[in-house]
Amino acid sequence: MIPCNSIEDFPSRLSSDAARSLLGGLTAAWHPRLIAATGKQPAWYRADELPAPVRAVRSDDQDVFSQPASDRSEAKYRLIIVPQASLTEIASEIRDCLVAESHGVIDRELEAHGDENFLNDVVIEVADRADAVRKIAAACEALGYRSDDQNFWNTSSDSFGRSGQRDIGASDFYALGYTWWQIQVLTRRLRYTSNLDQQHFENRLAEAASKLGAGDTDAACAALHDCYDALAEERDHYFSSDPAILDLALVTPGTLNDWLQSTENSNGDVQLESTAGQSVPLATPQNVLVDEDVARAIQELPAEAANVARQSLQRSDIGICGGGPSSDLCVQRLSIGQVEDRVAGALAIVKETLGQLPTVYARLGGGIAADWLPAILAAKFQGVVPIDFINGVGFGEESKVILGDSGDETEALTAKPIDADDDSAFLTLSALMGEAIDGGEIATSLLVHWPGQGCDSFHDVRRASTWTLALGKFWKIDEYFSEGERPYHHGSLPTPTVQTDLLVDPSDTTLSSTFAGQTQKNLLGMLALIDPDAATDSRNSTVDELRRKIASSLGYQTIACKDAAAGSVVLIHPHSPPARQRISIAGKIAAHASSVFHASAEGGQTQVIADVPAWGFAVIGEVAKSAVVEPSDDDPNFIQKMGRWLRPRIRKIVDGDRLSNEFMDVSLNREHGGVDGVYSGRGRGNRFSTRLIVTPVSAKQSVVAVCDRVETITNTTTLGEIAMSGRFVDPDDESRQFPVWEARYQLQRGSRQLIYRVKVAGPVPDSADDSAIWKHLPSLRIAIAESTPIIRCINSEKLRRTSARRFASTTGFQVEEADDRTTLVASDRPTIHRRVDERFLDTLITASVGSDWHTFAFGFDVRGPVASARELQSRDTIAVPIQASANGSAELAQRGWLMHVSPSTVEAQVVDIGVVSDQGKYLAIHFRVIQTAGKPAKASLRFCRGVHSVIEVSSLSRPLASSDAELTLADLESHAISHGVETDDDQIKWSQRAHGVVHFVVLFETGGDT
């Protein structure tokens, strides 16, 4: 009894329990004892209609199962199987006779008319196949139908005999029943007809069942082959191509032993060569995902167990994909360099464990990034599975697509995973594959399960596929890519899964340490561009040592000046964009000196706001020349002088509760200690405000801060700083204890960033839910003027748009408003955020213990938001004191750049330096270039030296790493993966894709053999 009107509208969406009962009941009716007893194929009826009574002639009490089907023309009963999925629709007459743990009988003798008798109906309610077989066996026994073979109804016994190289049992009939239903649903739903010779099919089905009961397994096998072949011909009549089926076991360190046990219990390698007259099962290989965690778990096994695991993975019926890093790798928490190291390390571990890398790249959880595709291709992977199996994302509308750009293309399996442990996914499996074929796609069923698990329908598909390809062909995943159909559609570039709620550790300095390490490498690259010989001997030098060496290479004599201000300094900036730095200089300097934005005398020293070029240097102090040395035609005329005289003098930064400079006017609130308003850029209105809150109940019911103290700490023409402190108060319950807070606001002359530092200490508010950190910790609520802003969070050194209500960032986020206005909210540590209504954003204050300060930078229309946010974490000091009386210092370069990066959204990083030999020696610098924006760009790097050549390498390749052997140009070219880079004298040019990361090794001539 099926819960639909016809096969055409066979249900495709049911709960797991309902689908298990429906498919279990349908296939249990195909048990060979029932087929042998009736000589017929099971019939189906609509659940909402009572099947018409069937006339019959009474028989004696002989054992009907013990006779051949041709001799059994008499019967007493008709068996009606009611799946639980049909209970809500069945007729009341059937529902009333159902017995939960047994069977019910509808006595039709009372309905006899004249000399005619009707079969009595035996009705059973079934929850699954095992339940159905058990109840059928009990009903047969109770009604007098006996069998001498006590194991004939045993569902745990799969084999009743053997024919050729296959075991034959009830499972083959269950699989045949499932296949019949799938083919009928496929052809009737998509083609509205059926071409199956039903009479021939039923005859051969009855013959197979009767021969199996008689012990003639060879004849039973031949009859079953005819049945499966008939269904294959039926499908081929409408769909000639075979869908692909991939059986993928997801293995973790915790389930590794389960997988080893399941493979040990399997039949081992499938024999593909048959002998005359023997039935050979078609191959149904299984695939397993081996990532970094599984490979490490195998290595940690005892030696004997590890060898067993490796031998199991080498079986011919096992396909392998993997090579990806651990699922706990959170890409958004790490820098790109850290991610590249983790990905390379995972490949090394998997290769060491398996002896070689698999040919298909995959990862259990977390997904993969588009940046990894060139490296995956360089590692000789034939395909990639970009699906995050843990979070259930990463799949697409098509099963198999092309990923990447021209030259970096690879095939990807993007089929939606099918839970092989859920019968609901198998209700209309063939119809879904038929629809994919009709759509011109590569029909693929990706059946995913944990080791040793799988529903009855999954095992039916596997069993049926040993007889026929009607449901599809099982593939090893490597052969699926090497021998399967080729896709011709391009898919969207993959992105790693974004974790929206990250619990951050305030004491975690991993990212800031990484930024400091990158500064050291960038300085090493700058030194190499000036003095290659000095750079090769300075690989292990500290940041301060490298800056002094750069200053010395520029011709300046460095001095030690720890406490007192120096008379002259060299500012060295190894990043982009240009920097504006506040420093103290002993004595006085010209107000319009080169590189000076502003200068003012304070206490015998000069406070200087200096500009430094990106990837460049600037000299400030007595050594520096004045911007105007002698009168010229460019001197200001009388009108200009009058304008300067009438222009208001430069005022101090702080004025009461306000901080002001050239780019913004900030108003602070004395009542709650937050920002009342920021007036900056185009437009007259307030564009930004903040306040501290605690939300112990909900985001919309907050406890606000109250300010008790306001104090001006610093107030000069170069710097202003205001300190505030207070507490949190609940207006509805003033007795509740909340943390106390302290905050400082700092604004520098010429800066587009307002620095905000906050410290919270004291009791934490109570919460019934310990996991609700938003209820435990204070947060900074930010209000913006735009009602529908675009939010781009900064993760992995890139700006990525997010529409999530909650999101995490490593260094902050940017708000894009109307009129191209942007507001940067940078943090000195990873933070989590949430949207509240349309105009509010909350940022969690994680510095809630001890005396730790949580520092933010609010930037308005900042150029290079990613770099600006990174500098807040790196806290880099860029000044190197130099000797003011250096000989010939007036003739030395006092401002310049060593490398220019274009456009501003592109960031360059030095990975390594080295020397390459080829008819001379060349300076080699390995660069990592990142497009931080989500748009493609025509990018370029220009150097202070002429470029000999450039080679693009994989992001996982480190050809310049220290080695005992000298690196030759031929060795370096063996790492090349592309030739799409143009060179032009001192410049290289290429096309950079959105959020793309490329690696170049640039060679510079150093002259002769030196």
Side-chain angles (χ1 to χ4, degrees), residues 515-557:
F515 290 153
Q518 189 58 59
T519 298
Q520 188 268 348
K521 293 180 180 179
N522 289 358
L523 287 170
L524 184 62
M526 292 180 67
L527 178 60
L529 288 171
I530 302 172
D531 188 348
D533 293 333
T536 54
D537 298 330
S538 305
R539 286 177 175 269
N540 299 321
S541 298
T542 64
V543 169
D544 292 336
E545 291 172 345
L546 286 171
R547 281 205 167 93
R548 287 196 295 269
K549 291 181 179 181
I550 291 174
S552 298
S553 298
L554 291 171
Y556 294 98
Q557 181 179 350

Side-chain angles (χ1 to χ4, degrees), residues 595-638:
S595 301
V596 173
F597 177 82
H598 173 77
S600 65
E602 299 174 9
Q605 296 182 354
T606 301
Q607 300 298 319
V608 180
I609 306 296
D611 291 332
V612 191
W615 289 90
F617 64 93
V619 179
I620 306 297
E622 299 175 9
V623 173
K625 301 175 183 178
S626 175
V628 180
V629 179
E630 57 185 15
S632 67
D633 294 337
D634 296 329
D635 283 347
N637 56 32
F638 175 76

